[in-house]
Amino acid sequence: MKNSEKLDLLLKTIAKNKDFISSKMLFEDVKGEIIPEELTPIVNKLFLDNNIEKKILENISNSKLSPPYFCRITFSGLLFLERGGYCGEDILIKKNKIWTKTKTFANRLNTIIILIIALLGVYVSWDSKHKDEKIEKNQKTIDSLKTILIDKSMIDKNMPNLNK
């Protein structure tokens, strides 16, 4: 049995009683599921979490649990049980961890995609500039060839035809 299940079991056992329950009766109710060495630390955890009230009686010595105490559930404890108790809290923590990991993964993926898009933009810009330079160079070549052709045609017009 997980610790969160033990905490829930003990809190539910205490919640069944409207009045204070003695540590001895509490031990008898959960015998076999919670070992005696765990009972007091679990009760202390429930008390520190403000889910139960605890009264310690120093003057009674006939209890195996030392010192004997009495507990009852608080309203906060009832609300906590209503919301799923410690097991529900564990599930919520696991869901939050998964959600956090998912968001982290999505953020990293977005970053990678943005970098790829930026690199593609740089490449397209470079490629376009390179093609513009080629077009400009080819245009100059065409213009120079046109000039040569025009000059040659003028020379041919001005030259007398010697073959006649």
Side-chain angles (χ1 to χ4, degrees):
M1 182 182 278
K2 292 181 187 176
N3 288 331
S4 56
E5 292 171 342
K6 290 177 184 178
L7 285 161
D8 279 346
L9 172 70
L10 200 58
L11 191 57
K12 288 175 185 174
T13 303
I14 294 170
K16 288 178 190 174
N17 297 300
K18 300 295 179 197
D19 292 327
F20 282 92
I21 182 172
S22 70
S23 53
K24 184 177 181 181
M25 286 185 62
L26 191 57
F27 174 71
E28 293 298 321
D29 287 349
V30 295
K31 198 174 196 176
E33 295 180 64
I34 297 176
I35 58 174
E37 293 81 26
E38 292 178 321
L39 186 64
T40 301
I42 292 172
V43 167
N44 288 339
K45 167 73 173 146
L46 294 173
F47 175 71
L48 291 173
D49 289 347
N50 199 28
N51 290 323
I52 64 168
E53 291 178 45
K54 179 179 168 185
K55 290 184 181 179
I56 299 173
L57 300 175
E58 303 272 342
N59 56 358
I60 299 176
S61 61
N62 63 353
S63 174
K64 292 180 184 175
L65 297 171
S66 162
Y69 51 83
F70 291 84
C71 335
R72 81 171 164 196
I73 195 159
T74 62
F75 191 72
S76 296
L78 289 172
L79 286 174
F80 185 69
L81 274 177
E82 227 176 73
R83 294 179 183 143
Y86 289 95
C87 291
E89 194 175 68
D90 282 351
I91 291 168
L92 186 64
I93 289 169
K94 287 177 186 175
K95 283 181 182 178
N96 285 340
K97 282 182 181 179
I98 291 170
W99 179 242
T100 301
K101 287 178 182 179
T102 303
K103 287 191 300 186
T104 302
F105 175 74
N107 284 338
R108 288 182 180 163
L109 186 62
N110 283 340
T111 302
I112 291 169
I113 289 171
I114 288 170
L115 285 173
I116 289 171
I117 290 170
L119 289 173
L120 284 173
V122 168
Y123 172 74
V124 167
S125 174
W126 174 83
D127 191 46
S128 175
K129 185 178 179 183
H130 184 67
K131 287 179 180 176
D132 286 346
E133 287 172 356
K134 274 187 177 179
I135 290 170
E136 225 174 90
K137 184 180 176 184
N138 289 341
Q139 189 65 40
K140 285 180 183 177
T141 306
I142 290 171
D143 288 344
S144 68
L145 289 174
K146 276 183 186 177
T147 306
I148 292 171
L149 285 173
I150 291 173
D151 288 346
K152 187 168 179 154
S153 72
M154 289 227 186
I155 292 174
D156 286 345
K157 283 184 184 178
N158 290 337
M159 276 189 89
N161 196 355
L162 300 173
N163 291 340
K164 287 187 183 181

